[in-house]
Amino acid sequence: MMWLTIFSMAAVVFISRYLLLEPKLPLRLSEKTLTFLSYSAPAVLTAILAPIVFSPEGHLDISIDNSYLICAVVATLLAYFTKNTLLTTVLSIGLFFIIY
């Protein structure tokens, strides 16, 4: 049963990728669908990030003592003003290791 599940999931992933990424297939997505899908990565990343930043100890912590929140704010500001992903990542991780 486990092998059937693994192969079934592999087939689902392969077929979904093949249908959308193969340029020879006539499948084209509309502009509205592409716009809708462009929001999926930020939505998923926000869903992963929010619990880590706002409740690192399991309860809501919006204070100056929350190093995750401070580093997230700094990283957001750095990303907005510098528009440099590498610089933002390195500086915010460095800040996290300094204040944690």
Side-chain angles (χ1 to χ4, degrees):
M1 184 66 180
M2 186 169 66
W3 286 107
L4 178 64
T5 303
I6 291 171
F7 284 118
S8 298
M9 296 310 296
V12 167
V13 169
F14 176 78
I15 291 170
S16 65
R17 301 297 192 273
Y18 184 77
L19 288 176
L20 293 175
L21 298 176
E22 175 57 41
K24 295 179 182 174
L25 292 178
L27 179 65
R28 298 289 175 251
L29 299 176
S30 68
E31 285 298 320
K32 287 185 179 182
T33 304
L34 291 174
T35 303
F36 176 74
L37 289 175
S38 71
Y39 296 113
S40 62
V44 168
L45 290 175
T46 302
I48 293 170
L49 174 103
I52 296 170
V53 169
F54 293 110
S55 61
E57 302 294 330
H59 60 277
L60 184 63
D61 184 13
I62 302 176
S63 67
I64 197 74
D65 296 331
N66 186 352
S67 58
Y68 292 92
L69 181 61
I70 293 170
C71 290
V73 170
V74 169
T76 302
L77 292 173
L78 280 172
Y80 180 76
F81 288 114
T82 65
K83 305 204 183 323
N84 186 333
T85 305
L86 181 61
L87 179 68
T88 301
T89 304
V90 169
L91 289 180
S92 58
I93 288 174
L95 177 65
F96 182 76
F97 282 120
I98 290 171
I99 66 173
Y100 185 69

